[in-house]
Amino acid sequence: KLASDIVFMAGERVLRDAIVVPFSRGCNLLTVYSKKHIDSEPDLKTAKMSHNQRTMKTLGMQFAKGGTCMWFAPSGGRDRRSAETGKVEPAPFDPNSVEMVRLVAEGAGAKERTHYYTMAMSTHNIFPPPTTVGGEFGEERRVQYAQLGVAVSEEIQELPTEGLSKPELKALRVTRCNAAFETMVQ
């Protein structure tokens, strides 16, 4: 039941990349245009920003309703093989993305009812991403049979923010994000 009810938040490529679209069908999916790609089509920037605002509103309604398990990848969701080491390395979390989700939950009145966990899922060998970020659609990719690995952390505890200045809050957001990333890597 949980697997069929999870709400996935993903980049818009899951709706436009022909090789990825079949994997996205049948999912509870919220999509956003990432800041990396929002300017890629200047004539669509306003529409993309409006789409993102609607997505955040929908996300807030999910938080307010409660009982939603949401999968959010604060690094874009795809880990790539390092050119230096040859190993698949998790992409660092983006503190602004993590904070955005936290603020949406708080704005929906669900701060106390929202719980955060890091989760690592090893899928690189099954369906490797393109070697570069943000390329054209339709590049050659191959699906392979391989093991799937999943790990979920203990709950990430909220850190107190009362009385902190804006620079201290920003530093805390980065610290919180980096700590969550390190938990996931372990």
Side-chain angles (χ1 to χ4, degrees):
K1 174 111 175 87
L2 177 64
S4 65
D5 290 345
I6 291 176
V7 175
F8 297 90
M9 184 169 236
E12 51 84 32
R13 290 183 72 96
V14 301
L15 301 176
R16 296 176 64 189
D17 187 342
I19 199 163
V20 177
V21 168
F23 297 100
S24 303
R25 297 288 185 217
C27 293
N28 301 314
L29 197 58
L30 295 175
T31 59
V32 292
Y33 291 92
S34 77
K35 60 186 171 201
K36 294 176 192 172
H37 303 294
I38 203 144
D39 293 321
S40 64
E41 300 164 297
D43 54 323
L44 297 178
K45 183 175 181 174
T46 302
K48 289 178 178 184
M49 291 173 69
S50 294
H51 173 86
N52 284 358
Q53 289 172 342
R54 285 190 306 276
T55 296
M56 292 301 105
K57 183 177 181 181
T58 301
L59 179 60
M61 292 181 338
Q62 291 285 330
F63 280 130
K65 180 177 80 171
T68 299
C69 179
M70 186 190 77
W71 179 306
F72 166 68
S75 60
R78 299 309 311 261
D79 303 322
R80 289 177 167 74
R81 195 169 300 282
S82 166
E84 293 82 40
T85 67
K87 294 181 181 179
V88 176
E89 297 178 358
F93 293 171
D94 176 6
N96 292 328
S97 295
V98 172
E99 188 63 14
M100 175 206 54
V101 171
R102 198 186 68 70
L103 289 173
V104 169
E106 186 177 314
K111 181 180 179 182
E112 302 303 321
R113 298 186 326 252
T114 303
H115 306 274
Y116 300 93
Y117 301 84
T118 59
M119 184 161 87
M121 184 160 61
S122 174
T123 61
H124 186 280
N125 292 333
I126 297 170
F127 189 53
T131 53
T132 59
V133 177
E136 294 295 318
F137 293 115
E139 69 276 345
E140 184 175 316
R141 308 210 358 237
R142 298 184 187 272
V143 176
Q144 304 171 68
Y145 291 98
Q147 290 182 334
L148 170 70
V150 177
V152 180
S153 75
E154 297 293 324
E155 183 174 357
I156 303 291
Q157 297 302 313
E158 196 58 35
L159 300 172
T161 59
E162 211 168 299
L164 296 179
S165 67
K166 283 190 177 186
E168 290 171 326
L169 276 173
K170 187 173 182 175
L172 178 67
R173 290 173 182 163
V174 171
T175 299
R176 178 175 36 218
C177 182
N178 291 341
F181 177 76
E182 289 304 319
T183 300
M184 187 265 315
V185 171
Q186 295 173 2

